[in-house]
Amino acid sequence: MRTDTGQIVHLADYRPTDFVLERVDLTFELDPTATRVEARLIFHRREGVDAGLPLILDGDELALSELRLDQIDLKPEQFDVSPEQLTIRDLPESQPFEITVVTIINPEANTQLMGLYRTNGIYCTQCEAEGFRRITYFPDRPDVLAPYTITIVADKASNPLLLSNGNFLGGGNYDEGRHFAAWFDPFPKPSYLFALVAGDLGVVEDSFTTLSGRDVTLKILVEHGKEPRAAYAMDALKRSMKWDEERFGREYDLDIFMIVAVSDFNMGAMENKGLNVFNDKYVLADPETATDQDYANIEAIIAHEYFHNWTGNRITCRDWFQLCLKEGLTVYRDHEFSADMRSRAVKRIAEVRHLKAEQFPEDAGPLAHPVRPTTYREINNFYTTTVYEKGSEVTRMIATLLGRDLFKKGMDLYFERHDGDAATVEDFVKCFEEAGGRDLSQFSRWYHQAGTPMVTASSAYDTAEKTFTLSLEQTVPATPGQPVKEPMHIPLSFALILDNGSIAEPTAVTGGEITGEVLHLTERKQTFTFSGVASRPVLSLNRSFSAPINLDLSQPSADLAHIARHDSDLFARWQAITHLALPNLMQAARDVGEGKPIDCDPAFVEALLEAADDDNLEPAFRAQVLALPSEADIARELGGKNDPDAIHAARQAIIAIIAIIADKGAAVFQRLFDTLRIDGPFAPSAEDAGKRALRNSALSYLSYADGGIQRAADAFSAADNMTDMIQALTVLAHRFPGKSETANALGAFLKRFETNPLVLDKWFSIQATIPGPGALARVKALMEDPHFVATNPNRVRSLIGAFAFSNPTGFNRADGEGYRFLAKQILAIDPRNPQLAARILTSMRSWRSLEPVRADHARAALAEIERTSELSTDVRDIVERMLKA
Ligand code: TRP
Ligand code: ZN
């Protein structure tokens, strides 16, 4: 582990390298504990650079074995070396020169899964962001681009496959049972996109013919025996390739595209040029073991990594501050892909739910940072929901501001102008300013100002004048390092809905710019006046969630019910039902707290059941409507101090309200449960998934009636796919913990899937998220279970991560035991895998808004971590930011 060096990187300090890297030639002689890496690097001094300046290369835990300049060994006085740096002096003034660096590395000992490591007997690499420097000394930064030639030598019997980026050059047998393969990647790339995979894997092969008629070989590599489970991923890949051609005119550029699935991986997947490496969770699926959500995730992540080939690889980032340039944009692209493959409205609802549950809390706590930060201490800690998801929302807003055609024009310009570049956010925005003929300087504050803007809205209708006025006020909260904010350019999609459901078409508008259905809020305070509105309209605002803001607009429940029935934007209909639900749930939470009986506004229950029962609406949408705001959503809305006892009350309130809905809607739910059964073979289609979601939703309401536990137990036994099985098991475990039916189901599930790690992860997660203070003891016991594997990131996330992130009532015990437990786990994980430890620690990112007693416990647990001397940079950075702000 590299302990913290405390160095902070500033965007303002950016300057290009002194030396230009022309070519990279790497030879790997693979060995589990002593792999020899020979790097031949051709450099020339950049024009105008002082002749005396040395070449400085990055390293991380490296040991130098040989070092040559133009094939001649360097004398000790010509260089300085440490595990973190190699400095070479006395270099030729103008001619290109060749540096040969030989390092010996130990893949088997690499537990942090950065650089070259071993997983289940195969060799694999992860180089983003700064993993390449764990392989050889190198100018390891994204603005150093070169073509790579790779030669891999390894024992043939144990490593029949030798893979790297680019096109296959050739291979053959070598001495002592070894063989070799050579690869050439002609597209200049930064080191973070390098990949090597070697071992014995099963191959699923297919092909794709591009727009211009080139044949591309497609391969997905998985553990032997798992080949059938890669079929869906292959299908998703081909659809992604086609979609990027049709939607963005982007064609694939090499002869081959490969995806390797590995079971030990820190993140979801990695877009290495021509050789993506995936967490196998996002590749492997079959009906028996994968849920509909798993299928949707696979489709999205396969697309995401594939789309990086253009947004990330062909055009990369100048420096890591520009991370959102590739990540925000690529998330936007994968969101659009999924919207086209599935239901756009349902996809949007899921995106917004995720954004509010993950990004809004990050933006409201001590880890808040701009989409384009200006400083960092550990770049691994900036692969955040703000960079990814808020970054995507910012891209979406550019598309909203420009409209579909001009946005496309801007993207075309970006690809044309910056292909082969290491670009910046400013370069990107400029393309849209030019293509759209619009000044985006105020808009760009979305990249630079952290915090979720709050927009307060109020409206009035003047019957005599036939005018409708809308007053808006925006504030952007203070965030760490940014006490004062400037007003943002906020695009708000809106509609004025009339009594009959039609949309008003005002004769004139004053007070600000409106383009199409979008109102531009650019001032701190702004009042729009619409004339020629014949009768009092109902305002539907921030439709499709056109801006990632908090909206404070109180509307009568009759208005919300009107939107829920009539808005042509399905997202807005869902949003209205959510806004109808929230005050009821919050009132119920308060009533529970005071021991009063629970009641519920009939207008809300009616609107909800009406949507659920409406067969003209797609089932997936109706399932989203039935999924009420979670206890965490309510806790956020309760505002002020986050009191987990209030969360507990909120949970009781949700249960009470669901029981009321379940009772009133018993006939509806019974009908849905009976009629939505799908006959015929399982298909992971969006349509069937929607039916399953709605039917399972009906089941969970039905489980509130008498005999609910038996219904759930029956559904569990009857399930013939993982979606239905997990749903029934979750109802049993979360609603009826400790009952024999639940224990039996958990036992049967374990027995059946004992040898399937991805399914076992689900078994751990379901139990880790059983609400209530008993959760901690359960989690501790599960850590002792022989199936718990502390070295596998997926398993650690499925137990410890699920507990800390997704069990608000269990984790936030009043006695602080949850926090102390987490601190202990972080300290245990950190020496082995700092990235994983730091990520799980961010589960405490909202600790400051806890009520005082818990906040004290949380602070003490964090301070305990901070006091530890041997912390990784990753964990130290997170813990210090959390304690400082
Ligand atoms: N670039 C990857 C993506 O598609 C993210 C990623 C994968 C990553 N593995 C990583 C980032 C390891 C940091 C470290 O989003
Ligand atoms: Zn990405």
Side-chain angles (χ1 to χ4, degrees):
M1 180 180 71
R2 185 166 43 128
T3 46
D4 184 43
T5 55
Q7 278 169 30
I8 294 176
V9 188
H10 297 271
L11 170 61
D13 292 343
Y14 174 83
R15 57 182 195 91
T17 55
D18 294 336
F19 293 87
V20 177
L21 180 63
E22 296 183 7
R23 289 185 38 109
V24 177
D25 199 325
L26 301 174
T27 302
F28 288 82
E29 289 174 51
L30 294 178
D31 180 273
T33 55
T35 288
R36 182 179 186 275
V37 185
E38 177 170 321
R40 294 166 62 160
L41 313 174
I42 308 224
F43 289 101
H44 69 259
R45 196 179 292 270
R46 194 182 295 278
E47 232 181 85
V49 167
D50 196 337
L53 288 178
L55 172 67
I56 301 173
L57 303 177
D58 305 302
D60 181 6
E61 293 190 318
L62 284 181
L64 181 68
S65 162
E66 300 163 41
L67 180 61
R68 290 184 284 278
L69 169 62
D70 289 329
Q71 299 303 323
I72 297 169
D73 283 343
L74 278 181
K75 300 193 197 77
E77 63 271 22
Q78 290 178 288
F79 68 94
D80 287 323
V81 70
S82 76
E84 285 85 37
Q85 205 166 65
L86 173 59
T87 305
I88 306 172
R89 289 179 292 272
D90 307 330
L91 290 162
E93 244 170 68
S94 53
Q95 305 293 40
F97 56 88
E98 184 188 73
I99 297 287
T100 305
V101 181
V102 177
T103 49
I104 309 289
I105 56 180
N106 184 349
E108 201 74 67
N110 185 350
T111 58
Q112 55 178 277
L113 315 182
M114 294 294 282
L116 177 67
Y117 65 95
R118 301 264 286 169
T119 162
N120 276 354
I122 71 165
Y123 293 91
C124 127
T125 55
Q126 171 55 42
C127 294
E128 187 177 5
E130 296 178 335
F132 193 78
R133 62 184 65 182
R134 297 171 55 75
I135 295 173
T136 188
Y137 291 101
F138 200 82
D140 190 15
R141 38 187 280 177
D143 62 342
V144 175
L145 279 66
Y148 283 53
T149 307
I150 308 296
T151 307
I152 310 168
V153 183
D155 176 61
K156 189 172 179 173
S158 48
N159 304 285
L161 284 171
L162 305 174
L163 313 175
S164 191
N165 318 87
N167 295 321
F168 181 62
L169 285 181
N173 290 327
Y174 213 63
D175 56 4
E176 295 169 352
R178 297 193 294 172
H179 71 149
F180 75 97
W183 295 81
F184 176 62
D185 181 3
F187 295 96
K189 68 163 176 292
S191 50
Y192 82 85
L193 291 173
F194 166 79
L196 176 155
V197 171
D200 188 3
L201 291 164
V203 185
V204 178
E205 190 166 334
D206 209 321
S207 71
F208 181 82
T209 306
T210 69
L211 196 60
S212 65
R214 280 186 318 102
D215 278 324
V216 179
T217 300
L218 308 178
K219 289 186 185 180
I220 299 186
L221 301 112
V222 297
E223 277 171 28
H224 285 293
K226 295 184 175 172
E227 293 88 346
R229 289 165 64 195
Y232 184 78
M234 183 64 89
D235 178 59
L237 173 61
K238 289 189 284 183
R239 286 184 283 121
S240 304
M241 295 178 86
K242 187 144 178 54
W243 185 89
D244 212 16
E245 292 183 342
E246 288 171 354
R247 177 73 183 269
F248 286 103
R250 297 297 110 201
E251 217 177 306
Y252 187 63
D253 49 11
L254 291 164
D255 301 339
I256 183 166
F257 184 82
M258 295 178 281
I259 291 171
V260 181
V262 301
S263 47
D264 296 282
F265 202 68
N266 278 346
M267 309 265 282
M270 180 63 212
E271 71 265 24
N272 318 299
K273 182 80 186 188
L275 180 57
N276 289 357
V277 176
F278 271 61
N279 186 327
D280 59 5
K281 172 182 166 72
Y282 298 119
V283 173
L284 302 173
D286 62 23
E288 199 199 340
T289 60
T291 61
D292 289 316
Q293 187 59 55
D294 291 328
Y295 279 102
N297 291 343
I298 289 170
E299 177 176 79
I301 295 178
I302 292 271
H304 179 96
E305 306 309 332
Y306 174 73
F307 296 157
H308 268 314
N309 192 55
W310 275 95
T311 50
N313 301 4
R314 288 288 287 257
I315 306 178
T316 193
C317 300
R318 188 192 73 174
D319 52 68
W320 290 121
F321 296 102
Q322 321 296 330
L323 186 57
C324 69
L325 177 69
K326 74 177 179 78
E327 296 303 347
L329 175 56
T330 305
V331 170
Y332 171 71
R333 276 151 54 70
D334 85 57
H335 282 178
E336 283 297 289
F337 169 73
S338 294
D340 283 349
M341 294 295 124
R342 292 162 181 260
S343 156
R344 182 161 284 270
V346 172
K347 173 67 182 157
R348 191 64 188 140
I349 292 167
E351 284 161 17
V352 171
R353 281 207 142 118
H354 177 76
L355 188 75
K356 289 190 169 186
E358 303 297 331
Q359 200 277 326
F360 281 26
E362 179 168 281
D363 231 352
L367 300 182
H369 56 276
V371 172
R372 216 278 300 272
T374 53
T375 61
Y376 64 76
R377 192 153 144 198
E378 172 51 67
I379 188 57
N380 284 336
N381 290 339
F382 280 83
Y383 288 77
T384 60
T385 174
T386 295
V387 168
Y388 277 67
E389 275 81 26
K390 190 174 182 181
S392 166
E393 294 301 318
V394 175
T395 311
R396 175 177 300 278
M397 285 189 284
I398 295 178
T400 302
L401 288 176
L402 264 60
R404 196 182 163 104
D405 293 348
L406 291 179
F407 179 74
K408 171 77 168 53
K409 221 176 119 193
M411 285 297 296
D412 288 345
L413 182 58
Y414 177 62
F415 290 127
E416 184 192 312
R417 184 180 286 174
H418 294 291
D419 186 13
D421 284 356
T424 62
V425 165
E426 283 76 10
D427 293 331
F428 179 70
V429 172
K430 197 157 191 296
C431 291
F432 296 99
E433 291 198 311
E434 286 183 32
R438 183 176 250 291
D439 179 358
L440 294 175
S441 42
Q442 185 186 6
F443 177 81
S444 294
R445 287 176 188 153
W446 281 103
Y447 287 105
H448 309 309
Q449 294 194 148
T452 306
M454 164 67 89
V455 175
T456 308
S458 61
S459 66
Y461 179 69
D462 186 324
T463 320
E465 298 291 329
K466 305 246 175 289
T467 56
F468 178 79
T469 52
L470 172 60
S471 299
L472 300 167
E473 185 174 352
Q474 57 162 306
T475 50
V476 185
T479 49
Q482 296 188 328
V484 182
K485 305 289 167 74
E486 297 299 321
M488 312 277 263
H489 182 171
I490 302 178
L492 292 170
S493 170
F494 78 104
L496 303 180
I497 306 174
L498 299 172
D499 268 353
N500 61 3
S502 70
I503 291 183
E505 287 176 22
T507 50
V509 192
T510 59
E513 186 187 353
I514 290 191
T515 50
E517 294 164 2
V518 178
L519 179 156
H520 299 243
L521 172 60
T522 54
E523 315 282 327
R524 277 190 209 285
K525 280 189 182 186
Q526 218 168 332
T527 298
F528 290 81
T529 304
F530 303 82
S531 359
V533 181
S535 59
R536 179 188 168 276
V538 169
L539 170 67
S540 179
L541 194 58
N542 208 19
R543 297 163 92 218
S544 308
F545 215 64
S546 59
I549 55 158
N550 278 309
L551 180 61
D552 179 8
L553 165 65
S554 51
Q555 286 181 294
S557 57
D559 282 12
L560 290 168
H562 194 67
I563 299 171
R565 287 195 178 92
H566 297 294
D567 203 311
S568 56
D569 174 12
L570 270 187
F571 173 86
R573 292 171 75 161
W574 169 80
Q575 186 167 250
I577 292 175
T578 302
H579 288 154
L580 270 172
L582 274 171
N584 283 289
L585 291 164
M586 284 157 66
Q587 185 56 46
R590 283 187 287 266
D591 290 346
V592 167
E594 293 160 21
K596 291 189 199 152
I598 304 292
D599 202 13
C600 189
D601 174 10
F604 157 58
V605 181
E606 231 166 73
L608 185 93
L609 289 174
E610 195 179 308
D613 201 26
D614 184 350
D615 288 340
N616 294 316
L617 294 169
E618 47 187 332
F621 173 76
R622 291 147 71 192
Q624 286 286 359
V625 165
L626 287 176
L628 296 186
S630 67
E631 54 233 58
D633 294 329
I634 299 170
R636 263 202 314 282
E637 298 290 332
L638 284 169
K641 284 288 161 202
N642 173 354
D643 179 355
D645 294 326
I647 301 182
H648 180 71
R651 187 178 148 72
Q652 302 306 118
I654 294 173
I655 290 174
I657 297 257
I658 291 180
I660 293 173
I661 298 168
D663 184 48
K664 290 219 176 94
V668 174
F669 297 126
Q670 190 62 52
R671 179 183 80 84
L672 293 175
F673 188 75
D674 292 340
T675 58
L676 286 164
R677 186 170 287 118
I678 299 167
D679 297 318
F682 180 95
S685 65
E687 199 191 331
D688 281 7
K691 287 185 190 161
R692 279 187 287 273
L694 184 55
R695 183 165 187 266
N696 282 320
S697 191
L699 168 68
S700 70
Y701 279 92
L702 289 170
S703 76
Y704 282 79
D706 288 345
I709 186 167
Q710 197 49 49
R711 266 181 180 281
D714 290 347
F716 178 79
S717 310
D720 60 0
N721 60 75
M722 186 50 73
T723 303
D724 292 349
M725 194 172 274
I726 283 293
Q727 180 71 25
L729 190 58
T730 305
V731 170
L732 285 170
H734 289 197
R735 299 260 340 284
F736 308 105
K739 291 276 188 297
S740 63
E741 288 87 342
T742 302
N744 291 342
L746 283 166
F749 190 90
L750 175 63
K751 191 152 173 253
R752 176 160 169 196
F753 298 108
E754 200 166 12
T755 58
N756 186 320
L758 296 177
V759 184
L760 272 186
D761 289 342
K762 300 179 196 299
W763 183 82
F764 277 99
S765 285
I766 286 181
Q767 297 179 79
T769 51
I770 296 174
L776 180 60
R778 215 174 276 121
V779 170
K780 284 181 174 168
L782 285 165
M783 285 186 71
E784 300 303 317
D785 188 287
H787 300 94
F788 181 71
V789 185
T791 52
N792 176 252
N794 284 354
R795 188 59 47 83
V796 172
R797 281 185 287 255
S798 76
L799 182 57
I800 300 167
F803 172 62
F805 279 103
S806 311
N807 192 342
T809 51
F811 181 54
N812 296 295
R813 278 164 56 128
D815 61 6
E817 281 297 333
Y819 312 137
R820 287 189 282 280
F821 166 79
L822 187 75
K824 195 173 151 214
Q825 297 314 316
I826 296 304
L827 292 176
I829 299 166
D830 192 37
R832 195 167 55 235
N833 190 333
Q835 221 178 321
L836 180 64
R839 167 91 25 173
I840 294 179
L841 180 57
T842 64
S843 58
M844 288 182 72
R845 64 194 171 197
S846 300
W847 75 272
R848 279 180 184 279
S849 64
L850 290 165
E851 54 80 26
V853 174
R854 284 171 174 92
D856 277 347
H857 285 305
R859 180 189 291 105
L862 289 169
E864 176 77 40
I865 297 176
E866 195 191 28
R867 261 201 305 281
T868 308
S869 53
E870 293 275 289
L871 283 187
S872 66
T873 318
D874 306 59
V875 167
R876 180 154 306 281
D877 171 48
I878 296 285
V879 78
E880 287 191 357
R881 276 194 283 145
M882 286 213 285
L883 284 169
K884 184 174 142 210

